[in-house]
Amino acid sequence: MSNKIKVATTSLAGCFGCHMSFLDIDERLLTLAEVAEFDRSPITDIEHCGPCDIGLIEGGVCNSENVHVLREFRKNCKILVAVGACAINGGLPAMRNHIDLEDCLLEAYRDGIGVENPQIPSDPELPLLLNQVHPIHEIVKIDYFLPGCPPSADVFWTFLTALVEGREPSLPYELVHYD
């Protein structure tokens, strides 16, 4: 049995930029791999989150599938982390919260400029949209928040290193200021 910590990640309603920033820790991924193994992540091809020590979630919650995945992560992860502006406050996807969902769908799929074959998708395989995009802490309990759009690779590294070493994560001002 491995004494490595297990890390899982997923992207909900976001742009995958936080995952790209996570991967930007570059060669430090090899150092992390010495003490961690990856469950569901962009590095693996695992579809569902199994029991994990740390779950990193990027993106807000905009549909029924997002709710399901988020609850699965909360159930299986000892520590759950909201990563980036979309997970923390809904980010850019939440800009639609000020527009009625039906109006938003009509503009995007029927009435918008350049729309060909206008029809609102109704395939039963598509997850049901929520009326609004929610930050993930409105759906499940979150243990930590990593700010940024996206958080830098150094924020990921500093945060994960502290957790792996059993320390309470603390991000210095230099890593999280935007002035």
Side-chain angles (χ1 to χ4, degrees), residues 29-179:
L29 271 173
L30 299 174
T31 304
L32 184 59
E34 292 174 8
V35 295
E37 63 181 279
F38 292 95
D39 191 78
R40 180 177 171 163
S41 76
I43 299 171
T44 65
D45 191 24
I46 299 172
E47 190 171 328
H48 295 283
C49 177
C52 286
D53 297 295
I54 303 168
L56 303 171
I57 310 285
E58 83 162 281
V61 179
C62 77
N63 64 42
S64 58
E65 182 181 15
N66 292 163
V67 172
H68 173 76
V69 169
L70 185 55
R71 287 182 174 151
E72 177 183 66
F73 265 72
R74 178 70 278 177
K75 177 182 167 193
N76 287 299
C77 298
K78 294 175 188 170
I79 296 171
L80 198 59
V81 185
V83 178
C86 294
I88 293 171
N89 63 28
L92 288 175
M95 288 179 69
R96 81 163 166 90
N97 289 354
H98 303 288
I99 303 168
D100 179 74
L101 181 57
E102 183 179 2
D103 291 342
C104 187
L105 290 171
L106 289 171
E107 178 66 25
Y109 294 105
R110 196 185 76 189
D111 303 332
I113 296 171
V115 172
E116 294 181 23
N117 189 22
Q119 61 182 337
I120 296 174
S122 61
D123 188 316
E125 294 289 320
L126 293 173
L128 293 174
L129 289 176
L130 303 178
N131 285 329
Q132 294 199 318
V133 176
H134 298 272
I136 66 175
H137 72 271
E138 290 183 2
I139 310 298
V140 299
K141 179 187 178 294
I142 299 301
D143 301 299
Y144 294 99
F145 298 83
L146 288 185
C149 184
S152 70
D154 289 335
V155 165
F156 277 104
W157 181 251
T158 301
F159 178 80
L160 290 171
T161 301
L163 285 181
V164 166
E165 293 173 355
R167 295 182 288 113
E168 184 66 25
S170 176
L171 299 173
Y173 177 78
E174 301 78 43
L175 286 183
V176 293
H177 75 93
Y178 301 98
D179 54 359

